[in-house]
Amino acid sequence: MENIAEIKQPGIAQGQQPASEGQLLPVQLNINGKNYLLHLEPWTSLLDALREYLDLTGTKKGCDHGQCGACTILADGKRINSCLTLAVMYDGIPLTTIEGVAEGDTLHPLQQAFIDHDAFQCGYCTPGQICSAIGMMKEGRAQSSNDIHELMSGNLCRCGAYSNIHDAIEQVMEENINPEKK
Amino acid sequence: MNASNTTNTDTSYIGRPVNRVDGVLKVTGKAQYAGEYNTSGLLHGIVICSPIPRGKITSVSTSDALKVKGVKKVFTHENVKGLPWFDLSYKDMELLPGSPFRPFYSNEILFSQQPVALVVAESLELARYASTLVRIQYETAEFETSLERNLKKGFTPRRGKTGYEKPKSRGKAERALKKADVKVEAAYFHGAEHHNPMEMFSSTVLYENDDKLTIYDKTQGVLNSQSYVTRVFGLKSKNVRVLSPFVGGAFGSGLRPQYQLFMSVLAALDLKQSVRVTLTRQQMFSFGHRPITWQKLELGANKEGRLMGISHTAISETSRFETYTENVVNWSGRLYECENVRLDYQLVPLDVNSPLDMRAPGAATGVLALECAMDELAYALNIDPLELRLKNYTEIDPAMKRAFSSKNLMDCYKQGAEHFGWEKRSYQPRSMKDGKHLIGWGMSSGMWDAMMMPARAKARLTPDGKLTVSSATADIGTGTYTIMTQIAAETLGLPLNDVTFMLGDSSFVFAPFEGGSSTAASVGTAVLYVCQNIKEEVFKLAQKIDGSPFHNTSIEKVVFANGYITSEDDPQQTIAIAEVLQRSGVKFIEEKSTDLKLKNLIKQGKYSRNTHSAVFVEVKVDEDLGMISVTRVVSAVAAGTIINPKTSRSQVLGGVIWGISMALHEDTFLDNNLGRFMNHDLAEYHIPVHADNPEIEVIFVREKDEIINPLGVKGLGEIGIIGVASAVANAVFHATGKRVREFPITLDKVF
C-alpha cells in the first residue's frame, strides 16, 4: 500500500507516548479512497475514529447507540451505523463518508437535490440522510414513494424535513431511471 | 457558498424561494458544529450524572479513575472551590426567578441525572472508561416528582421569566358559564417532552495563555453564553469569545447555557489546556423539558354558538429551586370574542430539574387544550367545528381591547378548508371509512406572538462590490443566514453571491438569543437599517464623483438594483456600486445600525402583534388494532411578509411534524417511584420517523403589516406547531368517536 498517512492522536501532545490502559492497535482505514494508519484503543468506534482521530467530522454523532442514523456511512457500498461498530473491524474495507460523496467541486446529484428541495434545516442529520439514501438506492429495494419513507426510517430528522428529504431522493431515483428527466 | 437563481440579475430577493446560502456546507459535511473543532492536545471530558432525585453525595472515590494513565483530573464538588456565591452570577437571559443550578456547588442532589462529576482525560475513550471507575455513594432523601398527586399544591407565580405575562381574567366567567345554553367541561393532560435536537450539547474550549478562551458552544445565543462564562468564572469579556456558526437544532434547549459549557470552561481554566465536553444522548434528558401540564377547560355558549364564558386552568410543574413559567392560559382570552374569561395558572414545585422553553412554550400546551375543548363544544352544539370558530371570530384582541397590527386568520380558515376539502366532511364521528380504517378529519386554530427584540447589525461594503453583514444572532436551522443575505442584497441592490452574512460570534454587534420566533423580524430590521445607511453613504460618494450623473438627484430618485445605481427618470444615467467606491478611493464603507431604531415603537404599542394559523388534519385509525396514522395535513399560516417561501415552508413542515409528535408520539415517562425519566434515549423516546410523515401542504396567506416593522415580517419558528396536536386529537375523535384527553394519544387509549 502506498500513500498511507500515519495519524498521530490529536489528544496526545508531540513526543509523548500515547496513553492507554492496554495496547493500542494499529488500524488501517481506507476512507474516500485514501489510506490512513491509526493506533487506536481497540474499543474505539468507527465513528469516533473518523471524528476524533481523522478530523472527518462530517459524519455525525446523534446518539452513539444506533438509534438515530446520523452516523451513517457506506462500507463497501452498504450503509452502516458507524457508531455501532469498532474501527478495528473495518481494517482495509473501503469506506465512504459524506466528505467523499461529491466528486471534487461537483456535488453528487443527491447533494444538489437536498439543496434544491431544502431537505434539511439544522443540517446535523443531513450527512447521514444522504449516505443512507445512496445506500438505499444501491439496494434497489425502493420501488415506490412509500418504500422511500419506509426504508429511510432509520434516519431521524428532528427538524422534520422528511417531506423534502423524500422529494429529493425521489427526484434522483427518477432521474436514474429516466436520465432525460435531468 | 451557493445560491440558486443567481443567474437571474434581478436583485429583488425578498419573497423569493432561494436556496439556503449554507446549503453546500451542510450537504458536504463541511458545516462545523460545536463539538467538531479539533486541536492538538485537546482533552475530553465525560460527565457523570446522579441516579437519585434528591439527597446527598456521601462519598466520592476517584482513585481508581486517576490511576488510568492519561486521565488528567476528576472534578466533583469536593475539589471545585472558589465559585461565586450569588445567584446573579449564574443568571442567563431567560431570567428565571430563583437560584439557577450550579454544577459542583455542594453535595446536594436536586434532581435525577444531576451532573455530579467530570472526568477529563487525553482521549474520549480513556475519559469514558475512567468515568466507569469513579465511585460515588449517595444518601437518598424523600422526594416527590408527581404532578398528578400534587395538583392541589399549586401556587400562583407572582412573577416569571423573560416574556411571562400574568394571565388576566375579565368579566364574570362563572356566572356566564352557569347561564350558558350549552356547556362543556374537560380536563387535559400531557407528559414531559424533551427537545432532543439531533446534535448533542457540546462545548469545545480552546485555551490560550493567560486564561484567554475561544469557545465553540451549542447555543441559541453566543452573548448569553459569553456573559454567563465571564460572570461565573470572573473573566473579562475581551478574553472570552464564544462562537456558534452552526447549531444542530435546539428548539429552545439552547436558550440557557447548559452545564457542559460550565464544565469545559472549568476544566480548561484549571488544567490550562483545551477541553471538550459533549453530553451523551441520555444526558440530553438531564436538563430542561416541556413541563408536564394538567389543564381544565370550561366553555359555555348560547344556542347560536356564541361563546358566553371561558374558564381555563393550567397546573404545571417547576423545580424547587427556580420558578419556570409559560404563557399557557392567556391564549384562551385572545383567540375568540368572549366577554367573560377566567384564567388561572399555577405551578407545583417538584424534585425535578427546571423545565425549559420548548418550541412554542405555553401556546403548544394551552392552545392544545382550548382547541380540543372548542371541538367538544362544536359537537355539544351540533355544529361544524370550523363554523364555531367563524362564529366567534374576533378582529380585535379581546384581552387588550385593541386592534391587531394585522390579522388574517380568516383567510387561513378559508384557504385551509378549501385546500383540504373540508366541505366534503361528514359531521358524525365514525362516519367516514376506507376499508378497515376509520377516517377522521379535525381542525384547529393557532396563535403566537410576533415579537420585536432589540438587535443590531454591522455592514461593510468594499470596492470589489462585496458586502459583509454581521450580527451576534444564530441560525439553529431556521434559515437566518439565508434570509439576512436576501434582505441585505435586496436593500443594496447587490447580487446574492456578493453578500455574506455572518452570525454566531460574540465579537459581533448585539443580537438577542434566537427564540420566540423573533429573529427574522428583529435582526432582519437591523440588517435592513444598516444596509439603508450604507446605501445613503454610497449615494453621497456617487454624487461627489467627477462627472457624476447624480449631482442634482436625490436618493429617492434612484434605484439600487443589479449592482448599479440608476436614475429612475433616465436609465442611461447609471453607475456600478463597486465603481463608486473604486473611483472615490475609499477602502470600504462601514456602518452599524444605530441602537434599536425601532422608529415606530410607540405606534406598535397600540396594537397586538400576533401570528395565526388554521390547521386541518386527516387521520386513519385501524379499527381492529387502534393504530393511528396522520395521512394528510393542510397548515395555513398568517405571518406577515414571507421573506423566503422555501425555508419558511420548511419551518412550518417541521412544526407540523412536531405537532403530530406531541399528539401521538412524544412522552418522557417519569417513574415517580424513582423520580427519574425512564425512556432517556432515542429508541424509547419516540419521535416521528420518515414512515410517519404525512402529505403536508403549507399555505401562507397574504398578510400586509405596516406596523410591526418596515419589512412586515412576523416570524415562523413556533406558529407551525401550534394547533397541530389539537387538530390531530380532534381528527381522532372524528374517526373513532372517542375523546382522548391524555397526550400522547397512543393506540391503547383509543378503544
Side-chain angles (χ1 to χ4, degrees), chain B residues 211-282:
Chain B
D211 292 352
K212 205 165 176 247
L213 307 180
T214 303
I215 306 171
Y216 290 92
D217 186 35
K218 180 178 174 77
T219 176
Q220 287 172 248
V222 281
L223 294 172
N224 200 19
S225 295
Q226 184 201 35
S227 151
Y228 177 83
V229 168
T230 53
R231 279 177 293 114
V232 172
F233 296 98
L235 301 170
K236 290 194 176 116
S237 295
K238 66 173 175 115
N239 287 336
V240 179
R241 183 177 174 200
V242 179
L243 297 116
S244 125
F246 291 98
V247 181
F251 314 109
S253 59
L255 291 175
R256 303 190 74 182
Q258 297 303 352
Y259 58 80
Q260 91 291 337
L261 174 64
F262 173 99
M263 293 188 173
S264 51
V265 172
L266 174 82
L269 291 173
D270 186 273
L271 300 167
K272 304 210 175 295
Q273 262 185 278
S274 299
V275 177
R276 174 185 303 141
V277 177
T278 303
L279 302 188
T280 64
R281 179 53 64 185
Q282 286 71 13

Side-chain angles (χ1 to χ4, degrees), chain B residues 92-97 160-164 325 327 357 453 513:
Chain B
D92 57 79
M93 290 178 183
E94 282 273 88
L95 286 173
L96 269 68
K161 66 174 185 67
T162 304
Y164 180 63
T325 52
N327 299 324
D357 281 347
M453 314 281 273
F513 52 40

Side-chain angles (χ1 to χ4, degrees), chain B residues 545-564:
Chain B
I545 290 172
D546 262 1
S548 168
F550 305 123
H551 278 313
N552 298 315
T553 314
S554 70
I555 194 162
E556 288 79 25
K557 291 280 176 190
V558 297
V559 178
F560 280 67
N562 306 331
Y564 286 82

Side-chain angles (χ1 to χ4, degrees), chain B residues 146-160:
Chain B
S146 168
L147 178 72
E148 285 158 290
R149 285 203 296 250
N150 294 283
L151 288 174
K152 288 190 178 136
K153 292 187 184 158
F155 74 94
T156 303
R158 281 185 295 121
R159 58 197 185 93

Side-chain angles (χ1 to χ4, degrees), chain B residues 86-385:
Chain B
F86 297 107
D87 286 334
L88 204 58
S89 308
Y90 298 86
K91 292 268 185 191
D92 57 79
M93 290 178 183
E94 282 273 88
L95 286 173
L96 269 68
S99 302
F101 169 66
R102 309 162 179 197
F104 306 147
Y105 193 70
S106 74
N107 69 340
E108 205 178 343
I109 301 297
L110 302 168
F111 54 92
S112 185
Q113 283 192 293
Q114 174 178 321
V116 293
L118 177 76
V119 182
V120 180
E122 286 171 352
S123 78
L124 184 62
E125 286 73 28
L126 289 174
R128 193 162 50 200
Y129 168 60
S131 74
T132 66
L133 303 175
V134 175
R135 309 273 174 248
I136 303 174
Q137 304 287 327
Y138 300 87
E139 187 182 288
T140 306
E142 253 184 64
F143 61 87
E144 182 57 83
T145 55
S146 168
L147 178 72
E148 285 158 290
R149 285 203 296 250
N150 294 283
L151 288 174
K152 288 190 178 136
K153 292 187 184 158
F155 74 94
T156 303
R158 281 185 295 121
R159 58 197 185 93
K161 66 174 185 67
T162 304
Y164 180 63
E165 283 167 38
K166 227 176 155 182
K168 282 191 194 112
S169 298
R170 61 176 183 261
K172 292 184 169 126
E174 260 176 58
R175 207 173 65 183
L177 284 164
K178 261 185 203 152
K179 281 169 60 184
D181 297 327
V182 177
K183 195 189 148 187
V184 293
E185 185 180 331
Y188 303 89
F189 181 85
H190 73 71
E193 294 179 347
H194 282 81
H195 309 72
N196 279 307
M198 292 311 297
E199 179 201 16
M200 294 171 304
F201 271 78
S202 185
S203 304
T204 304
V205 180
L206 305 181
Y207 183 88
E208 284 171 56
N209 289 341
D210 302 325
D211 292 352
K212 205 165 176 247
L213 307 180
T214 303
I215 306 171
Y216 290 92
D217 186 35
K218 180 178 174 77
T219 176
Q220 287 172 248
V222 281
L223 294 172
N224 200 19
S225 295
Q226 184 201 35
S227 151
Y228 177 83
V229 168
T230 53
R231 279 177 293 114
V232 172
F233 296 98
L235 301 170
K236 290 194 176 116
S237 295
K238 66 173 175 115
N239 287 336
V240 179
R241 183 177 174 200
V242 179
L243 297 116
S244 125
F246 291 98
V247 181
F251 314 109
S253 59
L255 291 175
R256 303 190 74 182
Q258 297 303 352
Y259 58 80
Q260 91 291 337
L261 174 64
F262 173 99
M263 293 188 173
S264 51
V265 172
L266 174 82
L269 291 173
D270 186 273
L271 300 167
K272 304 210 175 295
Q273 262 185 278
S274 299
V275 177
R276 174 185 303 141
V277 177
T278 303
L279 302 188
T280 64
R281 179 53 64 185
Q282 286 71 13
Q283 287 165 345
M284 292 295 286
F285 293 75
S286 64
F287 51 89
H289 54 279
R290 194 193 294 285
I292 301 170
T293 306
W294 179 91
Q295 300 179 76
K296 188 176 163 192
L297 255 293
E298 289 172 80
L299 301 179
N302 65 13
K303 279 185 204 125
E304 288 76 44
R306 297 293 302 268
L307 283 164
M308 308 300 289
I310 298 173
S311 170
H312 188 169
T313 302
I315 306 176
S316 207
E317 44 155 357
T318 186
S319 65
R320 292 209 197 269
F321 47 94
E322 284 178 308
T323 305
Y324 171 81
T325 52
E326 292 182 338
N327 299 324
V328 178
V329 296
N330 310 37
W331 311 100
S332 288
R334 304 186 64 196
L335 202 40
Y336 301 108
E337 194 181 312
C338 181
E339 281 172 18
N340 306 294
V341 180
R342 184 191 150 276
L343 302 175
D344 183 11
Y345 175 66
Q346 298 175 35
L347 295 172
V348 179
L350 296 168
D351 295 304
V352 294
N353 198 352
S354 301
L356 175 60
D357 281 347
M358 183 164 164
R359 205 169 195 174
T365 297
V367 174
L368 167 65
L370 171 67
E371 287 298 291
C372 286
M374 283 295 281
D375 200 69
E376 302 207 26
L377 181 65
Y379 277 85
L381 284 158
N382 204 25
I383 63 172
D384 179 83

